[in-house]
Amino acid sequence: MQTDSVAGHRPLGLAGRWMASLAVAGVAVAVVTVTAQSVERFHWWAGFVLVPGALIGATGGPLLARGGGRAFFGYLLASVGGLVFAVGALLMFGLMGRGWPLMVTLPALAISGTYLWRTGDPLPRAFHRTVAMLALIAAVLGVTLLLLAEDVLDFGETGWWGGFIMAGGVVVLGNGLELLRHRIAYRAQAVALAIGPAVVAFLLGLRFLRDWPF
């Protein structure tokens, strides 16, 4: 009898998650639409991008909440839906020309968030951590581009992007050297493969940042 009661609650719990996810998507669409209308920047046709993005993101919510192997797939759906929704919102407000750096920041944040599903093997974990950290640097780059587009920042003629290239080199080098503390096969080869590109990236970024002619 107790087993039947628990089993009877499972569909309701799943249905509740779906309803909550769809409700969040509906509220998000409504907020963007009403706000765009209130500021007289409403472009109705952007709804054909906005609504599908919200629905795609909503399908990922219940899977993400269930955890386990479905959570990663749910995260991917939620990330894709969020990105499509963001594009729809920019189009709705007519801000794609100024807000395009978000198309750098949001995908990069989604990629960096996958580090939550890290493996136990040191070698693939180090590679995954490197990709996630590089994506985080790309997200900061997107924010910087947005601030530059809004004239909040002004680096003048400085090759400021060289700093991001240098940061990427440091990330690759640090994660490569971290492998030295693990007793794994091909450890020396993996570290050597990381050091080479890391040094090249660091020196290349320094060249842009300092505006060296060589």
Side-chain angles (χ1 to χ4, degrees), residues 76-158:
L76 292 180
L77 282 176
S79 298
V80 171
L83 180 59
V84 176
F85 182 86
V87 172
L90 290 175
L91 292 174
M92 180 73 77
F93 286 98
L95 295 176
M96 183 60 76
R98 296 167 56 187
W100 64 265
L102 289 176
M103 298 300 101
V104 177
T105 298
L106 295 180
L109 286 177
I111 294 173
S112 64
T114 62
Y115 186 66
L116 296 173
W117 291 271
R118 54 187 180 271
T119 179
D121 193 311
L123 190 57
R125 185 172 68 242
F127 177 76
H128 188 193
R129 182 173 58 244
T130 301
V131 173
M133 293 178 69
L134 290 176
L136 193 59
I137 293 174
V140 177
L141 173 62
V143 173
T144 303
L145 291 172
L146 183 62
L147 294 177
L148 287 171
E150 295 296 326
D151 294 326
V152 176
L153 294 178
D154 184 7
F155 296 115
E157 300 298 324
T158 305

Side-chain angles (χ1 to χ4, degrees), residues 125 129 176-184 187:
R125 185 172 68 242
R129 182 173 58 244
L177 294 177
E178 191 270 342
L179 289 173
L180 291 174
R181 69 186 186 90
H182 299 286
R183 295 183 179 276
I184 56 176
R187 178 179 58 179

